[in-house]
Amino acid sequence: MQRRAAVVGNWKMNGTIAFTQALTSAVCAGVTERDHNHTLACDVILCPPFTSLSTAQHHLAGSPVRLGGQNISEAIGGPFTGEISGSLLRDAGCSHVILGHSERRTLLGEQDALVARKMVAAFRDGLIPIVCLGETLAERTAEQTLAVIQTQLTALLALLPTAEEQRAHWVLAYEPVWAIGTGRHATPDQVQEVHGFIRKQLTDRLGTTIASSIQILYGGSVTPDNAAALFAQPDVDGGLIGGASLKAETFLAIIDAYPKNF
Ligand code: PEP
């Protein structure tokens, strides 16, 4: 089955209103031009901080670029000061939400079970979850990479909704913790090994048709220089891009690196 690829920009805690206006306008202009020229090979999703969602939404209107949040609460709404629900993100124009980023797992103590419940909340509120998985350097050195990925994935699959439409339309992002923001990306072979393992787990649990429709992105120090080799791997369906998504030029160059099979 032909999967549509995605390139997602994770702005993290960056993006004043002025910065958002400039970056969103430039990215949207570039993506719209590629779309008109039929050279756009992937979906493009921008995930600015909550305070910039409305500005980004305003500037991407009419373009193929979609909007995502960087986190949600598992709660529907109510007395949760400082939290944001999935329905509030939907209301702000989001179609996607990043969940379980390693910075939240490491710095804020988010564990597999909570990430899985947030995934359920995202589906409930009509968002497509982009759920991050990945091992630390110590875990890779101890040859625990696949075991760690299996544990993280098993927690998600245990709570995955039964509706086929939802099971087939969510996104996993393999992000080795040691590669995030370090300038040291995983090699294409390392990435394909993990992505192939994830695809096999999905196939065993969900069947071939559903497993082959789920996007598996790679994230961790992706740049215009390394993107093409990473995206050429058979189970890599695009990227989750941090630092390089903060400049239109580099982000658009990464979008251009996705192979055009049309
Ligand atoms: C990320 O934070 O999701 C990420 C992949 O960051 P970077 O591209 O900067 O490594």
Side-chain angles (χ1 to χ4, degrees), residues 10 12 101 103 175 179-181 219-222 240-243:
N10 174 15
K12 312 194 191 202
H101 192 283
E103 286 152 12
E175 295 210 311
I180 296 177
S221 296
V222 177
L240 178 53
I241 318 299

Side-chain angles (χ1 to χ4, degrees), residues 13-227:
M13 201 165 70
N14 299 291
T16 61
I17 300 299
F19 177 95
T20 302
Q21 285 171 338
L23 182 54
T24 308
S25 302
V27 169
C28 286
V31 171
T32 301
E33 183 188 347
R34 286 159 176 75
D35 192 39
H36 285 163
N37 295 339
H38 305 288
T39 58
L40 184 63
C42 56
D43 296 332
V44 179
I45 301 143
L46 298 183
C47 300
F50 294 139
T51 49
S52 285
L53 284 172
S54 149
T55 303
Q57 157 76 349
H58 176 72
H59 285 274
L60 58 75
S63 85
V65 177
R66 301 171 82 186
L67 196 60
Q70 298 177 16
N71 177 45
I72 52 169
S73 163
E74 63 179 300
I76 291 183
F80 298 96
T81 303
E83 291 290 278
I84 299 280
S85 68
S87 58
L88 289 176
L89 282 193
R90 278 281 295 173
D91 189 48
C94 293
S95 55
H96 289 72
V97 62
I98 298 170
L99 297 174
H101 192 283
S102 70
E103 286 152 12
R104 297 195 65 83
R105 291 179 187 259
T106 309
L107 302 173
L108 300 167
E110 290 198 5
Q111 296 188 342
D112 293 342
L114 175 61
V115 175
R117 294 199 304 276
K118 289 187 175 195
M119 173 195 72
V120 172
F123 281 125
R124 177 196 67 210
D125 294 333
L127 295 169
I128 298 174
I130 302 169
V131 190
C132 303
L133 313 170
E135 82 286 3
T136 63
L137 187 56
E139 289 162 344
R140 174 160 284 271
T141 306
E143 300 187 355
Q144 290 300 307
T145 298
L146 299 184
V148 169
I149 298 295
Q150 183 158 34
T151 300
Q152 294 172 338
L153 192 54
T154 300
L156 299 173
L157 292 173
L159 295 190
L160 195 67
T162 52
E164 192 164 320
E165 174 63 18
Q166 294 180 324
R167 289 166 95 84
H169 293 107
W170 56 305
V171 184
L172 286 161
Y174 169 53
E175 295 210 311
V177 179
W178 48 272
I180 296 177
T182 59
R184 178 185 171 196
H185 67 90
T187 66
D189 286 349
Q190 287 173 323
V191 173
Q192 175 55 31
E193 182 193 20
V194 175
H195 283 226
F197 176 78
I198 293 172
R199 188 85 62 201
K200 170 85 169 57
Q201 300 291 311
L202 294 173
T203 303
D204 291 348
R205 290 290 303 271
L206 306 173
T208 309
T209 306
I210 289 178
S212 62
S213 70
I214 296 170
Q215 293 170 328
I216 309 176
L217 312 182
Y218 168 75
S221 296
V222 177
T223 67
D225 290 338
N226 59 36

